[in-house]
Amino acid sequence: MTATHPLFRSAQADTNGFKPRAGFRPFGLAEAESTLGARFREVALRRGGATALVCGETRISYEELLQRAEGTAAKLCSQLGRAGGILGVCLPSGLQTIETMLGALLGGFGYFCIDPLLPKRQIAELVDAAGVLAVAGGEPGI
């Protein structure tokens, strides 16, 4: 891959009028082969005290968000095993949801978001259909 040849380009990209924004920089090969969790960790270490999230009156720095997400990752790994599989995330929008999703990625898990306002029966059906290992915030919980 080079800066002018992405790893994947849709067959329709040239015919649908898609043009990258000014300043667009495609990922390098090492970046493209990295995980999202590793990319977040890299950004968080580089940005440290900069604000990563604002939730109401609460502001969280990248450093603090990384620390919280790594704590979640450690908890997930200790409870679910060393990585792999899918975590159901059944939490309302907010800081805890972001921490949980990033924690799953840092721990080597995927995640599946579930609307916590759905009826419990529907949540159970989604959990079963997705084959999740556990559900954060819903039944059965972590």
Side-chain angles (χ1 to χ4, degrees):
M1 181 184 96
T2 67
T4 58
H5 296 91
L7 290 175
F8 173 78
R9 185 167 174 89
S10 165
Q12 292 80 29
D14 293 321
T15 60
N16 69 7
F18 171 79
K19 298 287 183 222
R21 290 183 179 158
F24 173 77
R25 183 186 63 83
F27 289 134
L29 186 57
E31 294 168 311
E33 291 178 344
S34 179
T35 66
L36 186 55
R39 299 257 317 141
F40 169 70
R41 180 179 282 116
E42 181 182 303
V43 169
L45 292 172
R46 190 173 63 242
R47 305 262 323 187
T51 300
L53 287 175
V54 177
C55 188
E57 297 297 314
T58 305
R59 290 184 174 275
I60 302 294
S61 70
Y62 278 96
E63 181 180 15
E64 186 176 354
L65 182 57
L66 177 61
Q67 197 171 47
R68 290 178 181 205
E70 285 178 335
T72 299
K75 180 179 175 184
L76 291 172
C77 288
S78 73
Q79 292 180 355
L80 301 177
R82 187 67 191 136
I86 300 170
L87 174 71
V89 178
C90 189
L91 297 163
S93 294
L95 179 58
Q96 185 182 6
T97 303
I98 302 299
E99 289 173 14
T100 303
M101 292 187 304
L102 287 170
L105 294 173
L106 289 170
F109 300 91
Y111 63 84
F112 176 72
C113 291
I114 305 164
D115 185 344
L117 299 178
L118 291 172
K120 288 192 182 286
R121 181 172 176 239
Q122 191 172 358
I123 290 173
E125 290 172 358
L126 287 169
V127 166
D128 185 53
V132 301
L133 298 170
V135 178
E139 292 296 327
I142 286 205

